[in-house]
Amino acid sequence: MVLILVIGDLHIPHRANDIPSEFKKLLLPGKIEQVFITGNLCSKEAFDYFKTLSADVCVVSGEFDEPKKYPENKVVTVADYKIGICHGHQVIPWGDKEALAILQRQLDVDVLITGHTHEFRAYEHNGKFFLNPGSATGAYTPLHTDVVPSFVLMDVQKANIGFYVYHLREGEVKVTRMFWSKK
């Protein structure tokens, strides 16, 4: 079992002050083996916080991150799964299934993780899994001001991946789960 925190679009300090305390209480050092960040960290302090959770932090660049600080995308192998990570602002139209499927094929991955829309989304398409963890801080976008804060914990096993989705609604953390395995 490999436990991975999937999180992104923090926009600290420009659009949010911090990760909600309700989430921070759940994110404990020593429990999480890897952290995948979909970009738009926007501060060294945010990066440093994730380094306290895991020594293995993988970040891709969002359009508000310092240019060239992080790669545009990254492919990581965990157990028997190839996982691609990309912020998503490069994929037009943003969040589009077919456009994301093109990127998934280019990266040749089983699971594609993107951000940018600030909305949680998870689905299977053409036998591959697509995940957007949303915005952990609930940072607004030019299109949406009422973003629900969210992040995902991925539990990668040999037979499948468990996705535990955390949403903060009206001061309460709600958790849902789903599972996926490649065919």
Side-chain angles (χ1 to χ4, degrees), residues 7-11 23 118-120 132-140 147-151:
I7 198 163
D9 289 308
L10 303 170
H11 291 277
F23 284 170
H118 297 213
E119 280 185 72
F120 167 77
N132 182 329
S135 169
T137 60
Y140 68 89
V147 176
V148 175
S150 60
F151 70 89

Side-chain angles (χ1 to χ4, degrees), residues 13-27:
H14 309 296
R15 297 184 189 175
N17 293 325
D18 202 358
I19 296 168
S21 60
E22 296 89 344
F23 284 170
K24 279 191 161 183
K25 288 189 287 193
L26 302 172
L27 301 174

Side-chain angles (χ1 to χ4, degrees), residues 101-176:
I102 292 169
L103 177 61
Q104 172 274 316
R105 288 189 299 274
Q106 288 171 343
L107 297 177
D108 187 29
V109 294
D110 304 305
V111 177
L112 181 64
I113 299 170
T114 58
H116 187 61
T117 65
H118 297 213
E119 280 185 72
F120 167 77
R121 196 166 175 206
Y123 58 92
E124 184 175 11
H125 181 65
N126 293 332
K128 306 298 180 182
F129 197 81
F130 295 78
L131 174 67
N132 182 329
S135 169
T137 60
Y140 68 89
T141 74
L143 303 175
H144 305 291
T145 56
D146 57 344
V147 176
V148 175
S150 60
F151 70 89
V152 175
L153 284 176
M154 281 176 51
D155 180 8
V156 182
Q157 310 264 337
K158 186 144 184 80
N160 64 38
I161 302 175
F163 298 91
Y164 297 84
V165 184
Y166 293 74
H167 286 97
L168 181 60
R169 296 181 191 275
E170 298 171 11
E172 277 191 59
V173 176
K174 308 283 187 190
V175 183
T176 56

Side-chain angles (χ1 to χ4, degrees), residues 55-118:
D56 191 353
V57 177
C58 171
V59 184
V60 293
S61 188
E63 79 274 35
F64 289 98
D65 287 317
E66 193 177 305
K68 308 285 185 212
K69 185 168 187 163
Y70 307 113
E72 285 286 311
N73 53 57
K74 189 158 178 110
V75 175
V76 179
T77 301
V78 180
D80 293 334
Y81 298 92
K82 281 179 65 180
I83 301 169
I85 309 159
C86 178
H87 178 253
H89 68 280
Q90 314 90 323
V91 180
I92 307 294
W94 298 329
D96 179 76
K97 273 186 179 182
E98 293 307 322
L100 290 168
I102 292 169
L103 177 61
Q104 172 274 316
R105 288 189 299 274
Q106 288 171 343
L107 297 177
D108 187 29
V109 294
D110 304 305
V111 177
L112 181 64
I113 299 170
T114 58
H116 187 61
T117 65
H118 297 213

